[in-house]
């Protein structure tokens, strides 16, 4: 059921769970300090009980009230990139009211989202809001209100429609608690290049996060139908009744006779966007993948391509590595 942002404020204050738009992906929100409300998020998503939730705040001043400290490196990054598509790992005080949302972990991951609708909700509530992506555990993240409704249906207490999420991929998660090193725990739109503009000399490291970020232990995030990685297109090797996901560039290079073969065998082409505009490609990424489930096909093939070394390129590669299976 669609609700307004003001409805969401009232519902959240009453311990309900609502889906909200953010600039990255839609979130399934509850007030982070209400254990019963947070428990509902886990139930609705069918989320493993040891997988902590990101907590959302409206300002750095508000974050300060809930964490031990905001170290200098994190402060600088927050000043530059928050509100925005980036989250930070910070230490909690012993007796933190956020421990239920963090599944007992001594650290919390905080984010100040850059979406006007969600920010206004956060300001009105003035309490931290836990919000994982608004999908069933193991499914892909939703970037429109319709995708949330298709996946979670009537399980939430409402969905605030804020249009399609402009970034389209989950936030980057950074551990910037040290003065000498920044760890990228989950790649996103803010990455090495953006960080180095601020800290030209600091060491920025990608870390293999399965021991730090519980969510990365669960290997598959995928549409219901299998998405298989292929290196090249030889029509003979592809099963019929399938989707073929490829970039605009690869689409442009397909020879005419191959196109005819595809259509005679119900191989439907799904354009992922252009590598020349990764912002647009990322924005539509999950939505494009979600259409595989609605097409009259049994599986999808994904034509391997190199998305390059930019932060967004790496983030796209990272999400794909979790979605694709080997053909
Ligand atoms: O863009 C985003 O970050 C979206 C929007 C809604 O804000 N949220 C999101 O949440 O992607 P979620 O739960 O789908 O992914 C958060 C990841 C999970 O892999 C989780 O295990 C990890 O962050 N995480 C959250 N809190 C943590 C903590 N205290 N310690 C370690 N990992 C944590
Ligand atoms: Mg998620």
């Amino acid at each position: 059921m669609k609700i307004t942002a003001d409805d969401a404020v009232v519902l959240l204050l009453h311990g309900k769970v609502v889906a909200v738009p953010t600039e990255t992906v839609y979130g399934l929100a509850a007030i982070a300090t209400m254990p019963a409300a947070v428990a509902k998020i886990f139930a609705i998503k069918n989320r493993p009980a040891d997988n902590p939730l990101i907590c959302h705040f409206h300002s750095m001043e508000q974050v300060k009230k809930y964490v031990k400290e905001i170290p200098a490196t994190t402060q600088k990054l927050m000043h530059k990139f928050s509100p925005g598509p980036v989250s930070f790992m910070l230490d909690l005080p012993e007796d933190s009211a956020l421990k239920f949302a963090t599944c007992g972990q001594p650290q919390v991951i905080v984010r100040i989202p850059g979406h006007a609708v969600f920010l206004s909700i956060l300001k009105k509530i003035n309490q931290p809001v836990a919000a994982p992506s608004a999908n069933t555990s193991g499914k892909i993240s939703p970037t429109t209100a319709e995708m949330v409704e298709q996946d979670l249906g009537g399980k939430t207490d409402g969905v605030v429609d804020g249009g399609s999420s402009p970034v389209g991929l989950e936030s980057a998660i950074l551990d910037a608690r040290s003065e000498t090193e920044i760890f990228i725990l989950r790649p996103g739109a803010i990455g090495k290049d953006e960080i180095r503009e601020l800290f030209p000399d600091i060491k920025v490291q990608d870390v293999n996060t399965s021991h730090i970020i519980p969510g990365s232990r669960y290997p598959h995030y995928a549409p219901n139908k299998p998405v298989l990685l292929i290196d090249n297109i030889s029509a003979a090797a592809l099963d019929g009744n399938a989707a073929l996901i490829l970039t605009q560039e690869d689409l442009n290079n397909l020879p005419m006779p191959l196109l005819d073969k595809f259509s005679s065998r119900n191989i439907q082409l799904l354009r992922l966007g252009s590598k020349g505009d990764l912002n647009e490609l990322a924005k539509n990424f999950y939505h494009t993948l979600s259409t595989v489930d609605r097409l009259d096909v049994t599986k999808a093939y994904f034509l391997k391509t190199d998305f390059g070394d930019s932060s967004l390129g790496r983030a796209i590669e990272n999400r794909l590595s979790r979605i694709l299976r080997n053909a």
Side-chain angles (χ1 to χ4, degrees):
M1 190 188 43
K2 294 234 177 120
I3 57 170
T4 66
D6 284 338
D7 295 336
V9 170
V10 175
L11 288 166
L12 287 166
L13 289 170
H14 282 87
K16 306 284 185 191
V17 176
V18 300
V20 293
T22 95
E23 78 278 36
T24 56
V25 300
Y26 273 66
L28 189 63
I31 291 185
T33 53
M34 291 183 170
V38 171
K40 281 188 226 163
I41 294 182
F42 282 90
I44 292 170
K45 281 182 62 85
N46 193 21
R47 186 175 177 100
D50 64 349
N51 192 0
L53 310 179
I54 295 186
C55 293
H56 298 74
F57 298 80
H58 56 71
S59 62
M60 238 166 104
E61 289 61 45
Q62 193 197 13
V63 174
K64 276 188 190 143
K65 293 183 188 149
Y66 289 87
V67 299
K68 242 186 208 160
E69 56 161 348
I70 306 185
T73 314
T74 307
Q75 282 204 28
K76 278 195 194 151
L77 289 165
M78 275 189 160
H79 274 302
K80 173 127 179 144
F81 298 116
S82 299
V86 58
S87 302
F88 298 95
M89 178 177 265
L90 294 171
D91 294 315
L92 287 174
E94 274 299 315
D95 56 349
S96 170
L98 296 177
K99 286 260 171 84
F100 197 81
T102 69
C103 304
Q105 304 251 16
Q107 286 90 30
V108 63
I109 290 176
V110 309
R111 182 158 101 86
I112 304 171
H115 195 288
V117 174
F118 190 23
L119 256 189
S120 79
I121 293 173
L122 288 168
K123 283 181 187 155
K124 284 184 184 154
I125 290 180
N126 200 24
Q127 296 188 61
V129 168
S133 51
N135 52 279
T136 306
S137 221
K139 301 271 179 270
I140 53 179
S141 299
T143 50
T144 64
E146 289 68 33
M147 284 174 74
V148 176
E149 291 194 314
Q150 269 155 27
D151 181 356
L152 299 179
K155 291 181 189 165
T156 71
D157 293 307
V159 181
V160 181
D161 189 347
S164 66
S165 298
V167 176
L169 299 178
E170 302 86 346
S171 63
I173 302 180
L174 307 180
D175 177 352
R177 290 174 294 168
S178 141
E179 308 228 317
T180 53
E181 254 176 315
I182 295 171
F183 301 98
I184 300 181
L185 305 181
R186 179 172 70 182
I190 308 292
K192 278 195 179 124
D193 295 347
E194 294 73 18
I195 295 169
R196 289 221 172 99
E197 274 180 35
L198 202 59
F199 296 104
D201 301 321
I202 211 164
K203 205 163 144 196
V204 184
Q205 263 189 289
D206 288 299
V207 283
N208 179 349
T209 54
S210 56
H211 61 294
I212 306 173
I213 300 286
S216 62
R217 261 182 237 140
Y218 311 104
H220 262 103
Y221 290 87
N224 295 323
K225 292 174 188 167
V227 186
L228 309 173
L229 181 65
I230 51 170
D231 286 335
N232 57 66
I233 317 176
S234 101
L238 302 187
D239 294 335
N241 300 318
L244 174 59
I245 308 171
L246 70 189
T247 60
Q248 182 69 54
E249 287 79 4
D250 285 328
L251 192 59
N252 293 345
N253 288 333
L254 287 184
M256 221 29 191
L258 203 55
L259 289 175
D260 291 339
K261 261 192 201 143
F262 285 161
S263 75
S264 71
R265 300 180 52 220
N266 188 32
I267 295 177
Q268 302 185 31
L269 301 175
L270 208 50
R271 176 187 167 278
L272 189 65
S274 162
K275 289 199 278 186
D277 188 352
L278 284 187
N279 289 316
E280 185 68 14
L281 192 149
K283 178 176 192 280
N284 297 321
F285 180 77
Y286 283 127
H287 188 261
T288 307
L289 284 163
S290 77
T291 61
V292 169
D293 284 338
R294 294 195 293 281
L295 293 176
D296 168 30
V297 297
T298 57
K299 66 175 84 155
Y301 294 104
F302 185 97
L303 180 60
K304 189 172 179 170
T305 186
D306 183 356
F307 289 98
D309 251 359
S310 69
S311 302
L312 215 43
R314 284 159 174 258
I316 292 166
E317 298 270 9
N318 168 270
R319 302 311 187 274
L320 274 172
S321 72
R322 319 195 58 199
I323 290 169
L324 300 175
R325 306 182 198 177
N326 286 322

